[in-house]
Amino acid sequence: MRGGGIAWSVGVAALVAAVLGALAVGRFPISPGDLVSLLAGGGEGPEAIVFWNIRAPRVAAAILVGAALAAAGAAFQGMFRNPLASPDLLGVSAGAALGAVLGIFLGLPVAGVQGLAFAGGIAAVAAVAGLASAVRGQGDPVLVLILAGIALGALMGAGISLLKILADPYNQLPAITFWLLGTLSAATVGDIAAAAGPALAGLTLLLQLRWRLTLLPLGED
């Protein structure tokens, strides 16, 4: 218990230090005094514009995305009893990417792209589970599930490549490339508000299921 408390304290301290550094350092540095004033709700001028319109949304988005990815990774590691497991194993990342690329290719708005990305991830999990269920009894079920995820991920990767070839090279292809690479440089308060709901819902669900997930690494016995 004591070791866990120390780890939590160190983690929180590192997060606070990283947040303060990200808010203060950049092409337009903010002094410690101005940073404290801005955090307290004061400040004005260029510092306030840079702080509230550019850096604060990026930092908030980084925290939200980092928390969601960390929780997803921990859940997969617990389910597969493997410290190297990740959402890529079941083709979730490839399915979501294919859905988003399809949305961009069809010219859908941002909400449509996000919806297709979510649907693609869910569809990938369902397909992998169905494939693993169809060959049940042919070996280790966890290994079968992982192999099915890898195979389906490769297939979806091929679908992404096909859409990139068919996409408009001047408008759609750059949008697809930048979406796949990912960036927080253009994060806004609206983006955070749109992503916070699903992310917090997923985190809350994982928190409620944490005891069951903890039991999985113990094995069947």
Side-chain angles (χ1 to χ4, degrees):
M1 182 66 68
R2 183 177 179 181
I6 294 175
W8 271 100
S9 300
V10 172
V12 171
L15 176 61
V16 172
V19 168
L20 293 177
L23 291 173
V25 178
R27 291 187 178 182
F28 192 94
I30 299 177
S31 65
D34 291 336
L35 182 61
V36 172
S37 177
L38 289 167
L39 290 173
E44 58 183 10
E47 293 87 354
I49 295 175
V50 170
F51 182 88
W52 292 113
N53 295 345
I54 300 177
R55 292 184 185 169
R58 292 179 181 177
V59 172
I63 294 173
L64 181 65
V65 171
L69 292 177
F76 272 87
Q77 290 167 9
M79 286 183 359
F80 290 102
R81 299 193 291 273
N82 190 329
L84 298 179
S86 70
D88 299 276
L89 282 179
L90 292 185
V92 178
S93 300
L98 179 59
V101 170
L102 180 61
I104 296 174
F105 181 77
L106 296 176
L108 299 180
V110 175
V113 173
Q114 294 176 346
L116 276 181
F118 179 78
I122 296 297
V125 173
V128 170
L131 182 60
S133 178
V135 295
R136 182 178 300 175
Q138 302 299 318
D140 184 358
V142 175
L143 180 59
V144 171
L145 199 64
I146 291 175
L147 292 177
I150 294 174
L152 190 65
L155 180 62
M156 292 185 174
I160 293 173
S161 299
L162 176 61
L163 290 176
K164 290 173 70 174
I165 293 175
L166 298 176
D168 179 4
Y170 299 103
N171 296 315
Q172 294 177 332
L173 185 57
I176 291 173
T177 302
F178 286 124
W179 195 98
L180 293 175
L181 290 175
T183 180
L184 299 175
S185 62
T188 63
V189 176
D191 296 331
I192 298 172
L200 293 178
L203 291 172
T204 301
L205 180 61
L206 288 177
L207 184 63
Q208 296 297 321
L209 297 176
R210 65 189 183 280
W211 300 117
R212 296 184 181 183
L213 292 175
T214 303
L215 292 175
L216 292 177
L218 298 179
E220 295 180 2
D221 294 339

